[in-house]
Amino acid sequence: MVCVNLKERSYQIIVGKNILSSLGRRCGALKLGSDVFCVTNAFIRSRYGKIIDDSLARQGIGCRFFIVPDGERSKSFAQCKRLLGALAGFDSGRRVFIAAVGGGVIGDLAGFCAAVYKRGIPCVQVPTTLLAQVDSAIGGKTAIDLPEGKNLVGAFYQPRLVVSDISLLATLDRRQFASGMAEALKYGIISDPRLFSLIEDKAGFLGPDDAGTLRVIVEACSRIKAKIVERDERDENGARMILNFGHTIGHAVEAAQGYGGYTHGEAIALGMLCACDISRKLRMLDEKSACRIERVITGLGLPSKISGVNPAAIAGPYSRDKKFKGQSRLVLLAGIGIPRIVEGVPFALVKEVVRKRIA
Ligand SMILES: NC(=O)c1ccc[n+]([C@@H]2O[C@H](COP(=O)([O-])OP(=O)(O)OC[C@H]3O[C@@H](n4cnc5c(N)ncnc54)[C@H](O)[C@@H]3O)[C@@H](O)[C@H]2O)c1
Ligand SMILES: [Zn+2]
């Protein structure tokens, strides 16, 4: 168990195997409400709906499932409106709360709806992808997208509880699993050399059904993210910035592909490699560490070359970055576990490095 200590907004992250059936008991203990609006997808509903329903019923909590279509496109005003309408129809005036049972898309959408419905109702995150367990379910960032860009409409809204059941990960496909591992690796690279070494040792063999190892990884990542969020809940003092390692260039790669080409984790794996390349060029990072990172990334089945994108398309969204002025602020590396926020990285250097990574 990991605690996120944020005074009256503190909450626990429970990590374990086969713990979905404890959801009702945990929600009951927190007195979150008497009805839960359970936002999920069709697959999770059909596979785990009964476990969830039974677990809540045992506590006398009424449950209504709401199915969201898969894909980033569901982080939209249209889905938000549909969800809030159905929630209002379900809300009988007893105390209602939301459970977000799914990947980051469902977590972000349902978390945002929880933040705005009646000016805020409790939200429980039950992340079902590795990426959501190590990252998106923790920290209170909720959002939907606009055609103009990702996550442009959102709120900081901490969940009341996070239940990360490792056993749910067993059905993830290879790409989704690797995508989550990219994010887990990021935590190792920016703050935990032991976590990095664990992933390095297992990279070629680790699969979604290795619950023992995944439990260690998810718990380690949750602990790191919790500590960073505690220091900078609302992204105000820069502490959260190191979580962006690999993300500035990664987001640009994602956007250049029009979202849907690379998974988020694949794009940030490429972003992390570019950040390592820049760190090398600036003589901050030794060659051995850079090679180790690249080997782990390829060992996890993540790309090391950017394909299907032209460099200008990457430069476009990158240069729209809010702080862009011909140079940029990037999270770079001085070693594994030693991130550095570097101001004034020349855009020409970023372009050069990205060009070299293009297949
Ligand atoms: N709020 C944050 O702090 C934060 C942080 C990182 C990412 N995000 C957001 O998270 C989203 C990406 O999340 P994601 O990678 O989880 O993607 P996702 O939610 O789209 O899920 C990926 C796919 O996995 C499937 N899936 C979910 N659980 C499964 C299971 N147990 N078994 C088999 N398949 C399953 C889903 O149906 C979906 O098709 C992005 O929108 C990103 O912006 C948010
Ligand atoms: Zn990310």
Side-chain angles (χ1 to χ4, degrees):
M1 192 249 289
V2 175
C3 241
V4 186
N5 293 305
L6 295 166
K7 301 205 175 99
E8 66 281 1
R9 289 181 307 286
S10 299
Y11 54 96
Q12 292 183 343
I13 303 164
I14 316 291
V15 182
K17 291 187 240 175
N18 298 313
I19 56 171
L20 190 59
S21 57
S22 70
L23 181 66
R25 174 171 58 75
R26 296 178 194 282
C27 293
L30 289 168
K31 300 196 182 356
L32 298 181
S34 35
D35 288 315
V36 61
F37 193 69
C38 184
V39 182
T40 190
N41 70 17
F43 172 74
I44 301 285
R45 162 79 209 264
S46 70
R47 201 173 166 103
Y48 303 107
K50 187 163 169 12
I51 298 178
I52 294 171
D53 211 11
D54 288 351
S55 160
L56 293 157
R58 282 198 295 277
Q59 301 295 317
I61 300 172
C63 173
R64 167 80 56 88
F65 286 99
F66 179 83
I67 304 299
V68 175
D70 282 333
E72 182 69 27
R73 286 182 56 173
S74 282
K75 275 172 61 172
S76 64
F77 267 118
Q79 287 300 329
C80 187
K81 185 168 171 241
R82 197 173 74 84
L83 192 161
L84 292 171
L87 174 58
F90 173 60
D91 181 359
S92 63
R94 306 201 303 166
R95 285 190 312 132
V96 67
F97 64 103
I98 286 184
V101 188
V105 164
I106 283 174
D108 279 12
L109 169 71
F112 177 65
C113 290
V116 296
Y117 182 70
K118 288 182 165 172
R119 302 188 185 86
I121 58 172
C123 182
V124 174
Q125 292 281 350
V126 184
T128 65
T129 63
L130 182 57
L131 183 132
Q133 293 193 354
V134 300
D135 192 6
S136 63
I138 307 163
K141 282 193 180 178
T142 71
I144 56 175
D145 302 335
L146 290 183
E148 288 76 10
K150 262 180 72 126
N151 299 326
L152 288 183
V153 178
F156 284 99
Y157 194 67
Q158 299 296 342
R160 298 291 299 278
L161 170 71
V162 180
V163 176
S164 290
D165 187 338
I166 302 298
S167 316
L168 303 184
L169 304 179
T171 48
L172 288 180
D173 69 29
R174 193 193 54 77
R175 275 187 86 192
Q176 291 304 337
F177 179 70
S179 182
M181 283 307 299
E183 206 80 57
L185 183 68
K186 176 193 81 178
Y187 289 101
I189 296 175
I190 59 172
S191 86
D192 188 346
R194 275 176 42 198
L195 173 63
F196 178 86
S197 299
L198 171 69
I199 298 175
E200 182 176 44
D201 289 346
K202 302 262 179 183
F205 327 97
L206 190 60
D209 52 355
D210 186 346
T213 307
L214 288 175
R215 184 182 176 157
V216 175
I217 291 174
V218 170
E219 200 154 297
C221 296
S222 303
R223 192 158 281 125
I224 295 166
K225 181 143 187 194
K227 283 285 154 271
I228 293 173
V229 169
E230 283 169 4
R231 280 164 46 210
D232 186 15
E233 183 182 2
R234 299 174 65 97
D235 228 347
E236 286 164 337
N237 62 23
R240 244 173 133 139
M241 170 101 193
I242 62 163
L243 293 169
N244 279 342
F245 179 65
H247 278 61
T248 307
I249 296 173
H251 281 153
V253 170
E254 241 179 326
Q257 279 220 331
Y259 300 108
Y262 286 121
T263 63
H264 176 71
E266 288 167 348
I268 69 144
L270 292 164
M272 292 193 289
L273 288 171
C274 290
C276 288
D277 295 343
I278 295 168
S279 309
R280 287 279 303 133
K281 291 261 180 204
L282 296 176
R283 299 186 188 287
M284 295 167 53
L285 181 68
D286 62 292
E287 191 182 353
K288 186 166 166 249
S289 300
C291 288
R292 280 177 75 193
I293 291 171
E294 181 147 358
R295 230 179 358 249
V296 180
I297 284 178
T298 50
L300 289 169
L302 292 160
S304 60
K305 289 280 179 197
I306 306 170
S307 61
V309 181
N310 77 43
I314 295 179
Y318 181 74
S319 61
R320 276 198 293 278
D321 192 276
K322 287 188 269 308
K323 291 145 211 132
F324 180 77
K325 289 191 188 71
Q327 53 188 18
S328 190
R329 182 208 276 183
L330 283 178
V331 186
L332 300 178
L333 272 192
I336 292 168
I338 315 170
R340 292 274 183 269
I341 294 169
V342 179
E343 307 277 350
V345 180
F347 187 45
L349 175 57
V350 177
K351 264 203 305 211
E352 180 195 330
V353 158
V354 168
R355 206 175 298 115
K356 283 207 177 120
R357 283 276 164 195
I358 290 188

